[in-house]
Amino acid sequence: MFVLWAGIRLSARTGGARRLAENDPELFFETYGHKLLIDEFQRVPSLLLEMKKIVDQKTLSGEDSSGMFWLTGSQQFKMMKSLSETLAGRVGIFSFSSFSQSELAGIARPAFSAEIAELKQREPVKSLASVHDVYERIFKGGMPRLNTSKIPRERFFMDYINTYLERDIHGLEQVGKLSEFNNFLVFMAARTGQELKYDEIAKNVGISAPTAKAWVAMLERSGIIFVLHPYYTNITSRLVKTPKVYFLDTGLAAYLCRWPTSETLENGAMSGAFFETFVISEIVKSFYNAGKDLNLYYYRDIDKKEVDLLIVNADGITPIEIKKAKSPPDAGKNFPVLKKLGQPVKPALVLCMADELVPYSRDVWLCPISLI
């Protein structure tokens, strides 16, 4: 088991720990030892060279060097650049998004599984019992500070956007005017749950298609969006190969789209897209939190038959449909098209507002989203 001996934050310019880290990294580690958590480590990148030296010495002496240092920070691009240049092959990277609903409810869960036996053992998240409750959670999102303090929602997201633009994005070679990038963020939020088309982004934001592609990649690397790729094989050429995009925090997307309340969002034109985004993001977060690879795809063919989500494993494909209704009509009507992919198709799920996990047919189950 990992035991944290000390935690150091390097954000304060005048702090003794930061001054020591900048002036004498060797003495810094002699003073604080290990195992050690260092927050905002990207502010003193020179620490990484000394850290590499310590880790290599441990390894060469035959000792276990894993878990000696835990590094956290808030500037994604600077962090990754420093790590890749200095600690390549010596570091494990964990992705964390905003809080999942199970985390907010204090429920420990493994990565989402579509296995019926496992779903039956799950404790439901009570705050997702009604559709109105769901849209309140969609509207607020899962940002840690917003959910653990009394800061007004509008104030929080205003500061968050300004900080993201000024701290993480400003100065990157791919970004010119921050005003254009802000317009790009708003447009992307309005496209959550839809196909990712770079020419369309370029036309509406007033940038080139290559720039749109580069900016989308930046949003993905910084954990703002998740790009869901289509599943296709060489068996058929009738499949759509355009990915879809989802914001990982629905509160941020709702703020960027200027939805004033959860009620207007629930009854507005983007209601379905935000519901789907919420479900996809919760599943993705569950994989992130469990440290598991994402084996998630979607299906769409040129006949416009679509399956919202596919979980693909060695033993087959599990189709998942996402519906806002409590008892959706024609549940799983597109699932039969998956048979032409030439792989076993496992019992399917319709994630919806059902009150309980119940069979819709022999091969399709209705599953409440409170079990995600």
Side-chain angles (χ1 to χ4, degrees):
M1 177 179 291
F2 175 77
V3 179
L4 180 64
W5 293 356
I8 302 297
R9 185 175 178 84
L10 299 180
S11 56
R13 286 187 174 276
T14 57
R18 179 166 175 177
R19 184 171 59 251
L20 185 59
E22 289 175 332
N23 297 330
D24 195 336
E26 184 176 357
L27 181 57
F28 173 87
F29 285 112
E30 288 178 7
T31 302
Y32 294 105
H34 56 79
K35 300 175 175 180
L36 180 68
L37 186 149
I38 305 174
D39 188 30
E40 301 294 352
F41 77 91
Q42 77 281 351
R43 296 178 185 273
V44 189
S46 57
L47 277 181
L48 298 180
L49 288 172
E50 184 64 26
M51 197 178 301
K52 176 184 177 182
K53 176 182 172 183
I54 295 171
V55 170
D56 287 350
Q57 286 175 344
K58 278 276 188 182
T59 303
L60 289 171
S61 65
E63 298 180 63
D64 183 11
S65 61
S66 60
M68 292 178 65
F69 305 108
W70 288 65
L71 310 176
T72 63
S74 56
Q75 292 177 264
Q76 174 87 357
F77 301 107
K78 288 184 179 180
M79 286 169 56
M80 295 309 298
K81 186 175 187 295
S82 298
L83 288 174
S84 62
E85 290 177 350
T86 310
L87 293 178
R90 300 170 179 83
V91 64
I93 298 172
F94 296 86
S95 297
F96 292 98
S97 188
S98 57
F99 284 144
S100 66
Q101 296 305 307
S102 58
E103 286 180 292
L104 289 171
I107 300 173
R109 282 181 172 171
F112 177 76
S113 170
E115 298 293 333
I116 301 303
E118 293 187 31
L119 289 170
K120 286 181 177 179
Q121 301 301 315
R122 286 194 171 225
E123 179 184 351
V125 176
K126 294 179 181 179
S127 60
L128 302 178
S130 75
V131 70
H132 305 300
D133 293 337
V134 170
Y135 277 91
E136 285 182 4
R137 299 308 312 158
I138 289 174
F139 185 72
K140 187 171 185 179
M143 293 292 187
R145 187 179 172 210
L146 184 58
N147 282 276
T148 57
S149 69
K150 296 182 180 180
I151 185 171
R153 176 183 176 276
E154 295 288 315
R155 178 78 258 173
F156 171 82
F157 281 119
M158 186 187 305
D159 292 342
Y160 181 89
I161 292 298
N162 289 337
T163 301
Y164 177 69
L165 292 175
E166 293 293 340
R167 183 192 63 197
D168 282 0
I169 298 302
H170 184 63
L172 293 178
E173 293 180 3
Q174 302 97 322
V175 177
K177 296 179 181 178
L178 287 181
S179 59
E180 287 183 348
F181 194 87
N182 186 68
N183 292 338
F184 163 74
L185 269 178
V186 173
F187 181 79
M188 291 298 294
R191 300 295 296 173
T192 187
Q194 300 183 47
E195 290 185 352
L196 181 58
K197 299 179 179 179
Y198 298 109
D199 289 340
E200 182 182 51
I201 297 170
K203 179 180 177 181
N204 282 273
V205 180
I207 56 178
S208 67
T211 297
K213 193 169 186 178
W215 287 5
V216 167
M218 282 196 296
L219 290 189
E220 188 176 16
R221 289 201 307 272
S222 57
I224 301 293
I225 62 171
F226 171 69
V227 177
L228 182 66
H229 293 277
Y231 184 80
Y232 57 88
T233 68
N234 294 328
I235 294 176
T236 176
S237 60
R238 296 176 60 80
L239 303 183
V240 170
K241 299 181 181 180
T242 306
K244 295 178 72 173
V245 62
Y246 296 91
F247 262 62
L248 281 172
D249 190 85
T250 53
L252 175 60
Y255 170 79
L256 288 168
C257 291
R258 299 295 186 262
W259 289 102
T261 65
S262 61
E263 291 80 8
T264 55
L265 177 56
E266 179 183 347
N267 297 300
M270 295 187 69
S271 175
F274 268 86
F275 189 87
E276 182 178 326
T277 297
F278 178 73
V279 172
I280 295 289
S281 67
E282 287 296 307
I283 292 174
V284 170
K285 289 176 189 179
S286 78
F287 276 77
Y288 282 168
N289 293 344
K292 284 197 169 186
D293 288 334
L294 292 166
N295 53 344
L296 307 176
Y297 303 88
Y298 85 100
Y299 172 95
R300 190 178 187 190
D301 58 32
I302 60 176
D303 298 320
K304 298 185 178 180
K305 290 184 178 180
E306 184 171 342
V307 178
D308 296 323
L309 188 66
L310 304 178
I311 299 181
V312 181
N313 293 310
D315 57 350
I317 297 173
T318 302
I320 296 176
E321 198 170 73
I322 301 168
K323 297 293 183 183
K324 178 181 170 183
K326 184 181 288 285
S327 181
D330 300 323
K333 66 178 181 179
N334 288 333
F335 292 162
V337 302
L338 298 176
K339 293 179 181 178
K340 64 185 178 183
L341 295 178
Q343 295 199 41
V345 178
K346 302 171 71 175
L349 292 182
V350 177
L351 296 174
C352 59
M353 291 306 305
D355 294 323
E356 58 181 335
L357 180 68
V358 294
Y360 181 83
S361 65
R362 287 190 177 275
D363 298 318
V364 180
W365 286 71
L366 300 183
C367 178
I369 66 167
S370 59
L371 296 181
I372 297 175

